[in-house]
Each structure stands twice: as structure tokens, then as C-alpha cells.
Amino acid sequence: NGIQLKKIVESMRANSIIELGTNTGLSGCYFLSAKNNPFLYTVEGSSELCEIANINLSTINKNFFVDNSLFDDAIDSLAKENQIFDLAFVDGQHEEKATIHYAQKLKNIIRKGGGIIFDDIYWSEGMNNAWLEIMKDNDFSLTMDLGTRGLCILRDKENLKKKSHFSVTKFIGKPLLYREGW
């Protein structure tokens, strides 16, 4: 799963990544291990997890910043500073409305032709509903169902009219939705 993140970064030649949901920094370590040596700006609400993530990420390299704040506050601050990223990774607050909300907000700080990765799109019925809604968004020229993750590419000058969707689930099957207890 982590190798997939590294390969996305390398294939998109993403030099800057924003991650919502740092946790212990495991996903961030895969981002930082990409050959193109990207910068990672990762956001986490828990100060304890930020401390752990700082330790883990620094074992890979120093090309990162861990922001201990709320996702909305971080995105708003970055937008005010006119910060633009090549890629975003949404891996926090696994709820339908929140996922759709962050998809919309992140479009303001991701370059045209850049991408947004959504983790755990089959985690729950709500997460899958969010993914199905996001796939319809015409701001994305390409959407890809990668099994447990979704990748959306923002429309740019080269793909103004075309809209495509690709799914590996046609070949490997869809993960089961985890409905018990949700």
C-alpha cells in the first residue's frame, strides 16, 4: 500500500505534497522516499502523534513540515499564503461530508494537472458515497479507483473537455464495505 503512494508521487513527478492526517507518519515516509525527493507538508490534530511523526519522518529525510492544527485552519492559512501543491493525500476524518468538504477546499491549493488521493474509499458506506460523489466532479479530468484509494487529477489546459475514469476493481474486485458498527 505504501509503495503505491511512492509510485504515484514518482509518476506524477510531484515535488510538493500536502497530507491531511499524519498519524504516526507512515504514509509520509513513503512519500519522502520517492526518487524525486518531494517536500511533504503534513497536518495532524494530535500533538502526541505529531511528535511521533516527526521522529519517524526524520529517519527518511528532513524535507517535511508537520503542522499540528485542524485541517481547515491549515488549508486556509496555506491558501492565504498562495501555497500550491502538486499532490494531496486525504487520510483523516473518514466521514462522507468531511471527505467531500476537503476535496473542495484542497482544489484551491493544488495545481491544475495535480492530484488528490483519497484513502479508504471503501472503508464505510459513507466513504464510498463520498468517493462516488467526488468522481462526478467536473473539475477532475481523470478519476482512478485503485482498490482502497481513489486518485483524482485536476483539469488543466491539456484536458479541458475530456473526462475519464479507470478502475482496477474491474480486474481485482471491489473491497467489501465495512458496515458493522458504523
Side-chain angles (χ1 to χ4, degrees):
N1 253 341
I3 299 296
Q4 182 185 63
L5 296 175
K6 177 182 175 181
K7 293 298 182 184
I8 290 170
V9 170
E10 290 173 350
S11 66
M12 292 186 68
R13 296 182 183 99
N15 292 315
S16 57
I17 304 159
I18 180 168
E19 176 184 38
L20 302 182
T22 311
N23 202 295
T24 62
L26 181 60
S27 297
C29 286
Y30 282 99
F31 290 131
L32 291 175
S33 70
K35 289 182 221 171
N36 52 312
N37 193 32
F39 174 77
L40 173 66
Y41 187 101
T42 184
V43 184
E44 174 58 53
S46 164
S47 59
E48 292 85 4
L49 286 173
C50 286
E51 289 177 30
I52 295 167
N54 266 307
I55 293 166
N56 291 335
L57 294 168
S58 66
T59 64
I60 306 300
N61 69 44
K62 307 287 186 220
N63 207 17
F64 67 89
F65 178 76
V66 178
D67 185 350
N68 180 205
S69 64
L70 300 175
F71 297 162
D72 278 307
D73 293 344
I75 295 168
D76 291 345
S77 176
L78 292 165
K80 283 180 189 170
E81 296 169 7
N82 295 315
Q83 293 287 325
I84 300 293
F85 294 86
D86 297 319
L87 185 64
F89 182 51
V90 179
D91 189 20
Q93 200 170 344
H94 290 71
E95 299 168 358
E96 182 175 354
K97 286 182 183 178
T99 302
I100 293 168
H101 170 77
Y102 294 122
Q104 295 306 310
K105 286 196 83 152
L106 283 167
K107 288 190 291 185
N108 296 317
I109 61 169
I110 301 298
R111 72 166 168 80
K112 302 301 181 208
I116 303 175
I117 305 167
F118 298 92
D119 202 20
D120 302 318
I121 61 173
Y122 291 100
W123 177 281
S124 65
E125 197 165 350
M127 281 297 293
N128 192 244
N129 289 339
W131 171 243
L132 295 173
E133 184 69 26
I134 290 165
M135 281 187 349
K136 296 176 193 172
D137 189 330
N138 281 324
D139 286 339
F140 299 117
S141 59
L142 172 65
T143 56
M144 299 173 72
D145 183 330
L146 301 173
T148 59
R149 294 187 177 116
L151 172 62
C152 299
I153 305 298
L154 276 169
R155 193 172 296 285
D156 67 5
K157 291 177 186 172
E158 293 180 23
N159 52 29
L160 285 174
K161 297 182 192 250
K162 190 175 160 186
K163 179 148 176 90
S164 302
H165 177 73
F166 175 78
S167 177
V168 299
T169 61
K170 293 176 186 177
F171 309 103
I172 64 170
K174 289 185 180 181
L176 297 176
L177 291 175
Y178 305 112
R179 292 192 171 112
E180 261 185 69
W182 289 96

